[in-house]
Amino acid sequence: MSTFAPQKQTDKPNLSDYKDIIEMSKLIKPSNYKALLDRRQTEQGIKLIKDFFQQNLSTELRLHRVTAPLFVLKGLGINDDLNGVERPVTFPIKDLGDANAEVVHSLAKWKRLTLAEYQIEPGYGVYTDMNAIRADEELDNIHSLYVDQWDWEAVITRQERTVSYLKDVVRRIYCAIRRTEYLVCESYRQIKPYLPKEIHFIHSEELLQMYPEMTTKEREDAICKKYGAVFLMGIGGKLSNGEPPDGRAPDYDDWSTMGENGYEGLNGDILIWYPVLERSLEISSMGIRVDKESLLRQLQLSGKQEREKLFFHQQLLNGALPLSIGGGIGQSRLCMMLLQKAHIGEIQASIWPDDMRRECEQLGMPLI
């Protein structure tokens, strides 16, 4: 765990001092890229998208806004563990006897506690602005140290824990994205729409069988290029080749089940083919959440049985939390995609290696 100590007032950090320890991810350099909006228009466009989309999301899924924490206490099992290797930013709290707090990675589990606390009825839910710091992120065109997303969670019934219900929610979210694209294109005529009318559904195992010789990322790019917009299901559990399609913590999404029609995934990612970078772009990670049985199964599969003793997990195992569906939708990613920017740093203010910042300037994508 990393604890950040405050710098002295006289400190003047220079990123070039860290040149030898910064490992840059490969920067995608689109040829002949030119930003369609200047900086002032971009800022206006960001606000337009955020205001419009969150209202549409709230209406589609019957969500009301709640206030969310930036950090939670360590050791309660509330923070999102992502792939299980990322280190949360931690700091001691003086008035709590130096107990450690962690800056959130996401609010996947906190939201479910909130549903219980607010006594939300089935068919309704909450959403919030989530801000996070992911210090171990590899920096490139779409990954930043700073993460902002709409985190949402809704209460469901036992009968709604189905693939068909999941697909219905995905379609409603995708409709909200397309309506927002239409507004952006009407507001800025130089931006042309490119999202397909429908989103395509496919399970990770089906995708593996289609492209067995490809890597996970190559398969995602191939299917997204074919259909334009894809919901890739069954994220977390191992596939027939012995590998998981992507990392997923075992204690919030229900990874995958075997149904009458073969593989059925109760979670997944919304992926868009992004022509500016000529690659797939993940906009949302979401799914039907674990119940008692799937939590115990997935903790065992991942060798994380010790988590059963944590506060969040005890609440779930003791029946104190409602069944739910939820996810996160990247705010900067959505704005980047709809404003057709080549780097997420054109949308949000963050820290970037000096070399990357200079190169982006030369490529016509100046970072904020």
Side-chain angles (χ1 to χ4, degrees):
M1 302 299 177
S2 59
T3 302
F4 293 155
Q7 292 181 316
K8 297 177 182 178
Q9 292 292 328
T10 55
D11 287 351
K12 295 182 179 179
N14 186 345
L15 289 181
S16 63
D17 295 340
Y18 301 93
K19 200 171 186 179
D20 293 336
I21 63 173
I22 292 176
E23 183 179 349
M24 286 175 50
S25 297
K26 185 177 180 181
L27 183 68
I28 301 174
K29 307 169 185 178
S31 59
N32 302 318
Y33 171 74
K34 183 178 181 180
L36 299 178
L37 303 181
D38 61 29
R39 288 195 173 187
R40 178 173 293 186
Q41 290 173 316
T42 298
E43 294 288 1
Q44 293 170 342
I46 291 170
K47 187 176 189 307
L48 178 73
I49 291 169
K50 290 188 175 184
D51 289 347
F52 184 81
F53 178 78
Q54 68 180 353
Q55 185 59 54
N56 270 260
L57 180 70
S58 173
T59 301
E60 281 284 355
L61 302 184
R62 293 193 286 187
L63 311 173
H64 72 264
R65 190 187 182 282
V66 295
T67 301
L70 177 60
F71 39 81
V72 295
L73 282 175
K74 179 182 177 181
L76 297 180
I78 299 176
N79 203 357
D80 181 0
D81 297 290
L82 300 178
N83 295 319
V85 297
E86 295 87 350
R87 301 167 300 166
V89 175
T90 67
F91 60 93
I93 304 173
K94 179 181 177 182
D95 279 0
L96 293 182
D98 280 347
N100 275 329
E102 296 178 345
V103 175
V104 296
H105 279 146
S106 85
L107 298 170
K109 289 177 272 190
W110 176 88
K111 292 175 297 181
R112 201 163 175 186
L113 293 167
T114 301
L115 291 178
E117 183 179 353
Y118 281 50
Q119 299 181 331
I120 303 296
E121 296 293 324
Y124 297 88
V126 299
Y127 80 94
T128 190
D129 289 296
M130 190 284 299
N131 295 281
I133 299 172
R134 298 182 182 173
D136 288 336
E137 200 72 82
E138 294 184 0
L139 308 181
D140 57 22
N141 298 66
I142 64 172
H143 295 97
S144 170
L145 300 175
Y146 170 62
V147 178
D148 56 342
Q149 65 184 33
W150 291 284
D151 253 321
W152 65 273
E153 198 85 10
V155 178
I156 62 175
T157 64
R158 174 65 62 179
Q159 292 71 31
E160 289 170 328
R161 296 190 82 254
T162 64
V163 173
S164 61
Y165 183 81
L166 172 64
K167 288 182 177 180
D168 178 64
V169 173
V170 171
R171 290 189 183 100
R172 283 188 271 162
I173 293 173
Y174 186 65
C175 283
I177 293 174
R178 288 193 68 238
R179 280 196 295 272
T180 309
E181 180 191 46
Y182 177 80
L183 175 66
V184 169
C185 294
E186 284 294 296
S187 302
Y188 303 100
R189 291 306 180 95
Q190 64 270 46
I191 298 179
K192 305 302 179 184
Y194 62 90
L195 292 177
K197 183 178 179 180
E198 305 290 342
I199 187 167
H200 180 75
F201 294 87
I202 189 169
H203 191 279
S204 298
E205 181 63 32
E206 295 177 73
L207 189 59
L208 172 62
Q209 299 304 321
M210 287 178 63
Y211 306 111
E213 303 302 320
M214 293 184 180
T215 65
T216 298
K217 183 65 181 66
E218 288 170 344
R219 292 195 294 269
E220 290 179 359
D221 286 347
I223 197 68
C224 282
K225 189 171 185 179
K226 182 176 182 179
Y227 291 103
V230 173
F231 187 68
L232 181 60
M233 298 182 291
I235 307 295
K238 288 185 178 180
L239 303 178
S240 59
N241 64 355
E243 299 176 359
D246 199 358
R248 198 74 124 229
D251 43 15
Y252 53 95
D253 282 348
D254 194 334
W255 288 343
S256 189
T257 58
M258 181 68 81
E260 294 180 359
N261 300 318
Y263 285 92
E264 295 182 345
L266 292 181
N267 74 344
D269 295 334
I270 296 178
L271 306 172
I272 303 295
W273 177 252
Y274 190 44
V276 175
L277 298 180
E278 296 187 325
R279 56 157 291 165
S280 60
L281 190 64
E282 180 188 322
I283 296 299
S284 175
S285 169
M286 58 174 288
I288 290 173
R289 305 309 198 184
V290 290
D291 57 8
K292 178 179 179 179
E293 292 72 26
S294 54
L295 173 65
L296 292 174
R297 181 179 69 248
Q298 291 178 185
L299 288 178
Q300 183 176 17
L301 286 172
S302 58
K304 303 290 185 181
Q305 294 95 322
E306 73 280 359
R307 294 188 186 179
E308 294 176 24
K309 301 177 182 179
L310 299 176
F311 170 75
F312 170 83
H313 303 73
Q314 281 292 302
Q315 292 290 102
L316 179 54
L317 293 173
N318 292 332
L321 303 182
L323 299 175
S324 67
I325 182 173
I329 302 168
Q331 295 186 14
S332 290
R333 284 239 185 130
L334 184 66
C335 292
M336 174 186 175
M337 182 191 82
L338 295 180
L339 298 179
Q340 300 183 18
K341 298 290 188 177
H343 198 291
I344 201 166
E346 296 178 83
I347 296 295
Q348 58 162 248
S350 185
I351 295 174
W352 308 97
D354 281 344
D355 288 351
M356 180 182 287
R357 189 174 285 276
R358 283 194 295 269
E359 191 167 11
C360 286
E361 186 78 33
Q362 295 167 359
L363 293 168
M365 44 187 184
L367 308 185
I368 296 174

